[in-house]
Amino acid sequence: MVDIATHPEIRVQMLRDAIRARKHILSQKPFVLDLKTGRQLVDTADKAGVRIAVNQNGRWAPHFAYLRQAVNAGLLGDVLGAHLSVHWNHDWIAGTAFDSVKHALLFDFAIHWFDILNCFMQGHPAKSVFASITRAAGQKSKPPLLGQVMIEYEGAQASLVFDAVAHY
């Protein structure tokens, strides 16, 4: 088994090599940069008898694990809405490799929140997604660190708010 924890641009060939070597794979997120490549890798792995898992470590954080279990046990009834906001300082990425990731906030960090919404909504597909990002006054990193996302499901809704320059 291999854990491939590189940036996604160089990961694809490593994934192919691991499949060819018949090694099961834990890939860090994001798995790939496009769905076509992801589907090809999954199909190739299936044919080779290789399992691929993508590390979604946010799913196992204690607060999310509790909420997932509560939703799965029906303790919250039908989930008609989930509205999550996160306030922290992500400006630490200034001067790192993450500073060159165009949509670092949504691409690298928010993926955990999209994943947990998928768990809460129990696999119901999103009908529409609207996201916007903007730079915060005084932020040091290049990519915008303020973002919001609205997701519409059949008979339900969700929202995410990311304030990634909250110093206190």
Side-chain angles (χ1 to χ4, degrees), residues 13-83:
Q13 188 56 50
M14 293 176 184
L15 292 164
R16 288 185 178 125
D17 291 344
I19 293 167
R20 207 172 2 266
R22 299 222 186 300
K23 300 289 183 185
H24 298 299
I25 300 165
L26 174 63
S27 173
Q28 296 303 311
K29 54 82 178 148
F31 175 49
V32 293
L33 297 176
D34 67 86
L35 291 175
K36 181 180 177 186
T37 300
R39 285 186 182 113
Q40 289 171 342
L41 287 166
V42 168
D43 290 344
T44 303
D46 283 346
K47 289 175 187 164
V50 170
R51 292 187 179 260
I52 298 176
V54 178
N55 187 12
Q56 289 290 1
N57 56 307
R59 183 183 292 193
W60 309 108
H63 57 291
F64 283 156
Y66 175 80
L67 285 170
R68 269 188 316 97
Q69 290 175 356
V71 168
N72 290 341
L75 298 176
L76 303 178
D78 293 330
V79 178
L80 304 178
H83 306 283

Side-chain angles (χ1 to χ4, degrees), residues 82-160:
H83 306 283
L84 309 170
S85 63
V86 190
H87 309 272
W88 82 108
N89 186 1
H90 208 66
D91 214 17
W92 65 266
I93 66 172
T96 72
F98 292 100
D99 208 16
S100 63
V101 176
K102 184 177 180 182
H103 299 295
L105 180 67
L106 298 177
F107 182 76
D108 186 66
F109 182 77
I111 192 71
H112 297 289
W113 302 88
F114 289 118
D115 177 61
I116 203 61
L117 281 178
N118 189 52
C119 292
F120 294 166
M121 300 315 238
Q122 300 195 356
H124 294 291
K127 288 177 53 180
S128 67
V129 177
F130 173 81
S132 67
I133 54 175
T134 192
R135 289 181 51 80
Q139 77 172 69
K140 294 178 178 69
S141 58
K142 295 174 189 169
L145 292 180
L146 299 176
Q148 55 193 346
V149 180
M150 302 295 295
I151 304 172
E152 180 185 351
Y153 301 88
E154 188 66 46
Q157 63 180 355
S159 63
L160 301 171

